[in-house]
Amino acid sequence: MVDILNNYPILTLVTFLPLAGAIILLFMKDDNAIRWTALCFTVADFVISIPIVCFFDTSTHRMQFPERYPWIPSWNINYAMGVDGISVLFVFLTALLGWICVLASWTAIEKKVKEFMIAILVMQTAMIGVFCALDFFLFYIYWEAMLIPMYLIIGVWGGERRVYAAFKFFLYTLAGSVLLLIGILVLYFAGGKTFDILALMNQRYPFAIQFWVFLAFFIAFAIKVPMFPFHTWLPDAHVEAPTAGSILLAGILLKMGTYGFLRFSLPMLPEASHYFTMPILLLSLISIIYGGYLALAQEDLKKLVAYSSVSHMGFVTLGLFVYNTNGLEGGILQMLNHGITTSALFLCVGVIYERTHTREISAYGGLAKVAPIYTTFLAIFTLSSMAIPGTNSFIGELLILVGAFGYNKIIAALSIIGAGLGAAYLLGMYKRVAIGKVNEHVKEAWDINAREIVAMAALVIFVIWIGLYPKPFLNILHASSEHLLQQLAIR
Amino acid sequence: METIQSIRPLLAVLVSLVTAFLILALDKKPNVRDTVSFVAAIIKFSIVASMAPTILSGGTIELNLFTILPGIEFKFKVDALGMVFATISSFLWVFASVYSVGYMRSAHEKSQTRFFACFATSLSAAVGGAFSANLFTLIIFYEVLSLVTYPLVYHKETEEAWEGSKKYIVYLVGTSKVFLLLGVVLTYYLAGTLDFMPKGLLANVSASPLLLTIVYFSYLMGFAKAGIMPFHAWLPAAMVAPTPVSALLHAVAVVKMGVFCVLRVVLNVFGQDLLGSLDLGIVTAYIASFTIIMASIYALTTDNLKTRLAYSTVSQLSYVVLGVVLLNPVASIGGIVHIASHAFSKITLFFCAGAIYCSAHKTLISELSGIGKKLPWTMTAFFLGSLSMIGVPPAAGFISKWYIAVGSIEAKEIFFLIVVLVSALLNAGYFLPITYKAFFEKENNHSHHPPDKNFQGLDSGHHEDVKEIPMVAIPLFITGIISIIMGMYPDYFVQLAKVALGIPH
């Protein structure tokens, strides 16, 4: 089976299957048929991603299921794909969230269903491509390919201020992309005129080059994460985006930033990484506390979850930049956890928004009485987001904090304030939404339907699985993160 | 020392969890639902009791479910300390399950299904905590206990209940998310494991005394359920809950979870030797003494019966802590045995407070004049519970306080002997007047206090209709008697305490 997988272009298949679906959708007319077709393609994509994870060889850090064909030989550009222990998890996460996005948009999107589903499917191809690409040129194409469909998802199907939010998102991301391109070109010329990511990792660059390239990469990726002070686009984008857009933003797009640090900044620019460690840790700390503090003040449910992302992603960057096994593995696991939990919370927000057409927390109340199944799911995801022991986020947070204590005890201790704030705003949110007097807006009894239950249950499985048995996931990323630490340690 | 692999610890935890789901399913059939609670309580206690002989003879029972991270497992391990806690919570659930039915029905409380389901789940969490083999498993159950008791505290859904429950959840979850997390992370960072060890898991770790002190205080503050000042304010706030909750949870399961966790930290995370060499034992003993005296003074000044009992609980919990942090074998036995003596006595007192509320609709002590004639069984049990709490021989409280007193003499710390004695006087000062009022004062018909307006039951505030409710009075009378008898036959708990402390017998 492994041999078969290695000889078949399975990564190309998993990447381009959604695009093929998008092309087929172009020729379809009936909205319902379009929804089912989109669902079929995303589910098929998810099914294909399962053997990639199951037959992943956890003993090596090498790129697996590799594919490599010359593309533009004159510029030394190849079509090179492959996954290691870090990226394979996010290929899987993207494939998982793909069909959940389609389910979440089933009735929420009423106009231009065809165009919406096409945008989602194109996004999925681009996102999986970003995680698989082993050639910088190819990577950049996937990276840019995400921009337009996401812009449209927010700008066409978004809320009242969708145009403003979409434009802000576009400007921030574009600024990051330009800096990323400059950095890539500098590395191309300094690294022997190759776009091969693995080859560029083995090059040594003078510190002056590392310094400037690191800064360019840092701003590009920090916008995506987003880290303070580059976070201001996120609440607008999240609030205006439709549910599926928020899921993709929170679940995958934010991970692109930290993935960029893992794949490029740390292994290619180790000296500069060490040089910039302290400022980045301080920015992470500010993100953790400031994000949590802002979340505490939100009246809009979606904004609350959006700011909580800033805080939680601060923990991820904190873990990545302390350069030890616990911190790094915790950081990578927490990327996965955040993708699952925050997507689930946005799914919950979407469900209730569809029924009540408001996101004001004060308009809810007493949902536990009118929608018990829904509030049970909401409770699980809230606890997961709070990193209660037994849920996925606790494992990540524990590893990150243990790693951080190994690097700098004061920063680690201060970051725990963020955990306390998290408990405060999440519990406060749950109390106001789910218990207490039944609000007039939600008076009519309703509960989630089978379609929504399936989407949420799929995510609950991972919340509890990673919370109680994280070993398979840690095994997958172990060899690659050890290799990354070696790359950081030498020189 | 034999170690047995057995599924019984897991069964003991699951019984009440399954019961909770059964209760939810039986929403429409209250009689069947309430019988299920009672039967489950008996099954749970039987499972716990079946493990007692092994533990008493020095063995342990283990069940490793799965490995989370290197050095962290989801694992049960039944040892003597856990057995003390599991025995009292599962045994008293039997009485509480009968009492709650009588109470909830005669007080016509709403949302009874939610009440009984949360009640059963919290028992799972308590016993799960008792049987946890490491800090990770322990804090899972610790957090679950905070969360499932939250609906029980806001049960009445009045303005007052929302306020009280808010304080409750903010204190308990807030402290655990900040301080407890810090403690656990640092412990794992220093030791690479979270498993409890007989001599302390940090005993052989090389770390600076400052860091170890920080870890220790993180735990002390993080386990706010122990009610050590200044993290005690959640307990009086939790008194808005229906009385069965105050009785079994806020006098037994929840607060004992707190002191149990502190005991785990003292005995099995740090170890008494390490605490001694860091001089932390004596510091904690002063904090506990301060809590004992201050809470007793607070108790003296309140007129609300349940609030007085709550402050008394805060005070008595610190006896347990005081006994163990004197770092002396005799005092430690006293501390551990006090978990049991306080449990039986205090649950009786709370049961009585609830019975008075159900029968006479009174919540203030100043209204209790002459009530002893109407409720002779209840007020007699109250008297027995008070005697035990004050520490009058031969009641249960006497035994544990005796051990603590002798221990503080042996440790040459006379200050703490004085604390124990002064506190006994204060206890007498706030408990005995209640009994005196009930039996020897004339009934005051011109009460300035109208019946509690939150009372949803029969609209009769007159003493003429006041009579004992059998389903309420029988359990409380039995626990009252037990709190005296336990003082005469304390062997079971003393033996467990000796095994837990590794004292040869």
Side-chain angles (χ1 to χ4, degrees):
Chain A
M1 186 70 191
V2 180
D3 289 341
I4 299 171
L5 282 179
N6 272 325
N7 294 330
Y8 267 87
I10 187 160
L11 290 179
T12 300
L13 184 63
V14 81
T15 306
F16 288 100
L17 188 67
L19 190 65
I23 293 167
I24 289 173
L25 286 190
L26 278 176
F27 303 103
M28 295 179 69
K29 282 212 173 64
D30 179 53
D31 279 355
N32 247 339
I34 286 171
R35 290 186 183 111
W36 280 104
T37 313
L39 184 66
C40 286
F41 272 93
T42 45
V43 168
D45 206 39
F46 176 63
V47 171
I48 293 170
S49 76
I50 291 172
I52 299 180
V53 181
C54 290
F55 293 101
F56 185 83
D57 179 2
T58 57
S59 62
T60 173
H61 67 267
R62 284 177 206 292
M63 292 296 167
Q64 299 184 33
F65 315 111
E67 293 166 37
R68 193 183 172 87
Y69 314 101
W71 185 9
I72 312 176
S74 56
W75 284 0
N76 204 359
I77 293 170
N78 297 293
Y79 174 83
M81 305 272 272
V83 285
D84 69 351
I86 298 169
S87 47
V88 71
L89 290 174
F90 299 102
V91 171
F92 178 73
L93 178 67
T94 314
L96 171 69
L97 292 182
W99 61 267
I100 288 177
C101 277
V102 173
L103 285 184
S105 322
W106 205 262
T107 50
I109 301 297
E110 288 163 339
K111 52 166 193 176
K112 301 192 185 119
V113 177
K114 180 160 105 179
E115 288 80 357
F116 183 84
M117 291 300 174
I118 289 174
I120 293 275
L121 289 170
V122 172
M123 271 300 281
Q124 193 166 354
T125 289
M127 291 184 300
I128 296 180
V130 162
F131 291 121
C132 293
L134 288 183
D135 183 282
F136 243 142
F137 189 83
L138 183 64
F139 171 86
Y140 193 73
I141 288 177
Y142 287 132
W143 182 274
E144 289 299 294
M146 293 187 304
L147 188 57
I148 300 297
M150 196 64 215
Y151 172 77
L152 293 176
I153 288 173
I154 300 174
V156 177
W157 292 274
E160 279 170 20
R161 295 168 64 238
R162 58 182 178 267
V163 176
Y164 167 78
F167 198 61
K168 198 168 176 180
F169 164 80
F170 190 83
L171 279 186
Y172 267 79
T173 316
L174 192 67
S177 299
V178 170
L179 287 169
L180 180 64
L181 183 63
I182 294 171
I184 291 174
L185 289 176
V186 172
L187 287 183
Y188 173 77
F189 288 110
K193 299 206 174 176
T194 175
F195 284 109
D196 186 333
I197 289 172
L198 296 178
L200 289 172
M201 279 182 193
N202 293 326
Q203 293 288 336
R204 293 185 181 194
Y205 309 96
F207 183 75
I209 289 183
Q210 286 201 24
F211 181 90
W212 291 109
V213 174
F214 187 91
L215 267 186
F217 278 2
F218 173 73
I219 294 173
F221 297 140
I223 288 173
K224 278 276 177 190
V225 172
M227 283 175 91
F228 176 88
F230 306 104
H231 65 282
T232 53
W233 63 270
L234 182 77
D236 286 312
H238 267 313
V239 167
E240 300 308 325
T243 303
S246 291
I247 292 175
L248 290 180
L249 261 178
I252 311 296
L253 262 62
L254 304 196
K255 309 301 167 296
M256 302 273 175
T258 42
Y259 177 75
F261 287 136
L262 285 166
R263 180 62 80 232
F264 309 118
S265 301
L266 293 178
M268 290 180 188
L269 313 163
E271 278 105 359
S273 300
H274 282 292
Y275 182 81
F276 282 106
T277 300
M278 205 30 93
I280 292 179
L281 289 185
L282 286 176
L283 284 182
S284 306
L285 186 61
I286 294 173
S287 300
I288 290 171
I289 295 175
Y290 185 64
Y293 186 71
L294 286 177
L296 206 52
Q298 299 309 317
E299 282 296 316
D300 182 309
L301 195 50
K302 246 185 168 179
K303 265 194 177 160
L304 187 144
V305 184
Y307 278 114
S308 83
S309 289
V310 176
S311 181
H312 290 157
M313 291 306 286
F315 273 108
V316 173
T317 46
L318 179 69
L320 299 188
F321 281 89
V322 296
Y323 312 129
N324 54 39
T325 308
N326 282 328
L328 192 58
E329 294 190 0
I332 299 169
L333 187 67
Q334 197 69 338
M335 286 164 67
L336 182 66
N337 291 338
H338 180 264
I340 291 164
T341 301
T342 308
S343 304
L345 282 176
F346 277 121
L347 193 59
C348 288
V349 178
V351 164
I352 186 173
Y353 181 73
E354 224 181 295
R355 264 87 168 176
T356 60
H357 301 285
T358 174
R359 285 186 305 261
E360 290 291 314
I361 297 178
S362 53
Y364 307 144
L367 283 187
K369 292 197 181 97
V370 290
I373 304 174
Y374 170 76
T375 39
T376 309
F377 280 114
L378 183 66
I380 295 170
F381 297 132
T382 307
L383 293 178
S384 162
S385 192
M386 269 167 67
I388 286 287
T391 63
N392 54 352
S393 309
F394 180 76
I395 306 292
E397 201 172 283
L398 180 75
L399 286 171
I400 289 170
L401 288 172
V402 170
F405 271 107
Y407 189 84
N408 185 318
K409 294 195 174 52
I410 294 171
I411 288 182
L414 286 175
S415 69
I416 288 185
I417 296 172
L421 285 171
Y425 61 74
L426 288 163
L427 270 181
M429 179 275 284
Y430 183 78
K431 194 248 142 185
R432 292 172 64 190
V433 169
I435 53 191
K437 234 183 249 149
V438 180
N439 195 295
E440 283 179 12
H441 282 90
V442 292
K443 226 164 195 170
E444 274 173 55
W446 57 272
D447 213 330
I448 48 179
N449 53 36
R451 167 177 61 84
E452 290 156 334
I453 290 176
V454 168
M456 291 192 188
L459 294 168
V460 166
I461 291 172
F462 288 96
V463 165
I464 293 167
W465 183 1
I466 302 178
L468 292 179
Y469 193 61
K471 210 172 167 189
F473 298 89
L474 289 171
N475 275 348
I476 286 177
L477 59 86
H478 182 74
S480 295
S481 67
E482 284 302 312
H483 178 65
L484 182 54
L485 286 176
Q486 280 169 20
Q487 288 174 316
L488 273 161
I490 49 169
R491 300 184 255 198
Chain B
M1 283 287 280
E2 48 168 350
T3 302
I4 299 171
Q5 298 291 325
S6 166
I7 200 170
R8 276 178 290 170
L10 181 63
L11 289 180
V13 172
L14 287 183
V15 166
S16 38
L17 195 62
V18 172
T19 308
F21 285 104
L22 277 178
I23 289 170
L24 288 177
L26 293 168
D27 185 24
K28 299 279 181 287
K29 297 176 188 156
N31 288 331
V32 185
R33 177 193 71 193
D34 297 345
T35 316
V36 165
S37 272
F38 179 67
V39 173
I42 290 178
I43 296 174
K44 191 178 183 88
F45 176 66
S46 315
I47 298 174
V48 172
S50 77
M51 291 185 274
T54 315
I55 307 302
L56 278 171
S57 64
T60 51
I61 297 170
E62 286 191 354
L63 179 67
N64 192 355
L65 288 175
F66 27 77
T67 303
I68 312 276
L69 292 170
I72 302 182
E73 288 115 30
F74 191 84
K75 183 176 174 184
F76 292 113
K77 180 177 172 186
V78 189
D79 66 357
L81 188 61
M83 201 62 201
V84 173
F85 182 34
T87 309
I88 55 156
S89 22
S90 61
F91 183 60
L92 288 174
W93 188 30
V94 177
F95 296 95
S97 65
V98 178
Y99 177 88
S100 321
V101 175
Y103 179 92
M104 296 303 276
R105 292 192 179 180
S106 61
H108 298 271
E109 293 274 359
K110 54 192 166 115
S111 318
Q112 293 193 12
T113 300
R114 179 182 77 194
F115 176 89
F116 285 108
C118 286
F119 210 90
T121 316
S122 57
L123 262 296
S124 278
V127 172
F131 291 161
S132 295
N134 52 41
L135 273 166
F136 178 81
T137 319
L138 181 62
I139 55 173
I140 288 185
F141 288 112
Y142 183 91
E143 300 283 11
V144 169
L145 189 55
S146 305
L147 297 168
V148 295
T149 48
Y150 177 52
L152 296 171
V153 177
Y154 71 68
H155 183 86
K156 286 181 181 159
E157 304 194 23
T158 56
E159 214 35 59
E160 197 192 357
W162 290 122
E163 279 304 308
S165 62
K166 187 176 173 190
K167 204 166 190 179
Y168 182 78
I169 198 77
V170 165
Y171 264 82
L172 294 188
V173 177
T175 51
S176 76
K177 235 12 242 179
V178 178
F179 300 115
L180 187 53
L181 182 63
L182 181 67
V184 171
V185 167
L186 280 172
T187 307
Y188 187 60
Y189 165 67
L190 290 171
T193 175
L194 295 177
D195 283 346
F196 298 130
M197 313 227 177
K199 290 286 165 204
L201 77 95
L202 289 171
N204 299 319
V205 168
S206 58
S208 72
L210 175 68
L211 193 57
L212 287 173
T213 308
I214 291 173
V215 176
Y216 179 71
F217 279 103
S218 314
Y219 282 123
L220 214 54
M221 296 189 282
F223 289 123
K225 284 191 181 123
I228 298 170
M229 285 185 179
F231 295 102
H232 67 286
W234 62 270
L235 185 57
M239 290 301 130
V240 295
T243 309
V245 176
S246 309
L248 183 61
L249 299 175
H250 298 126
V252 183
V254 173
V255 291
K256 293 295 149 57
M257 181 71 133
V259 284
F260 173 76
C261 291
V262 172
L263 258 51
R264 278 285 189 220
V265 168
V266 171
L267 297 173
N268 303 129
V269 175
F270 279 79
Q272 291 186 316
D273 297 340
L274 179 60
L275 279 189
S277 65
L278 291 167
D279 287 329
L280 288 174
I282 197 77
V283 176
T284 322
Y286 279 109
I287 298 172
S289 304
F290 178 79
T291 309
I292 291 174
I293 301 291
M294 279 311 289
S296 298
I297 292 172
Y298 275 128
L300 265 179
T301 59
T302 53
D303 189 32
N304 184 303
L305 180 56
K306 279 178 77 179
T307 314
R308 183 174 288 192
L309 292 177
Y311 277 113
S312 161
T313 303
V314 173
S315 163
Q316 300 285 339
L317 291 174
S318 278
Y319 272 89
V320 180
V321 178
L322 175 65
V324 178
V325 296
L326 284 173
L327 309 181
N328 155 296
V330 180
S332 303
I333 293 176
I336 294 173
V337 173
H338 200 62
I339 292 182
S341 9
H342 173 253
F344 283 94
S345 320
K346 192 50 73 60
I347 202 172
T348 308
L349 296 175
F350 269 114
F351 279 170
C352 294
I356 295 167
Y357 180 67
C358 277
S359 304
H361 318 167
K362 304 284 189 203
T363 55
L364 299 181
I365 293 160
S366 51
E367 302 169 330
L368 297 182
S369 307
I371 205 165
K373 292 190 187 95
K374 305 275 166 42
L375 302 173
W377 295 93
T378 301
M379 293 321 288
T380 307
F382 192 91
F383 181 59
L384 296 179
S386 313
L387 289 184
S388 172
M389 279 292 74
I390 299 163
V392 178
F398 168 72
I399 302 296
S400 36
K401 290 193 181 182
W402 175 258
Y403 272 108
I404 296 174
V406 171
S408 51
I409 297 170
E410 276 190 12
K412 299 199 173 54
E413 296 285 355
I414 301 305
F415 175 78
F416 301 111
L417 176 65
I418 298 170
V419 168
V420 172
L421 296 178
V422 169
S423 159
L425 274 180
L426 287 168
N427 289 346
Y430 62 75
F431 276 133
L432 293 181
I434 300 173
T435 312
Y436 178 83
K437 249 184 199 311
F439 284 111
F440 300 109
E441 271 186 11
K442 282 243 166 72
E443 193 178 332
N444 178 10
N445 278 328
H446 307 288
S447 169
H448 295 291
H449 305 284
D452 182 21
K453 58 182 180 298
N454 291 331
F455 189 79
Q456 290 144 347
L458 299 166
D459 194 22
S460 54
H462 304 291
H463 275 199
E464 278 70 34
D465 308 340
V466 174
K467 55 176 192 291
E468 298 274 13
I469 302 164
M471 262 186 111
V472 169
I474 293 170
L476 69 86
F477 198 75
I478 299 176
T479 54
I481 297 285
I482 294 175
S483 62
I484 301 294
I485 292 178
M486 221 192 88
M488 298 186 245
Y489 302 98
D491 280 2
Y492 175 73
F493 289 109
V494 172
Q495 197 60 39
L496 281 178
K498 282 184 176 167
V499 176
L501 294 162
I503 301 170
H505 44 280

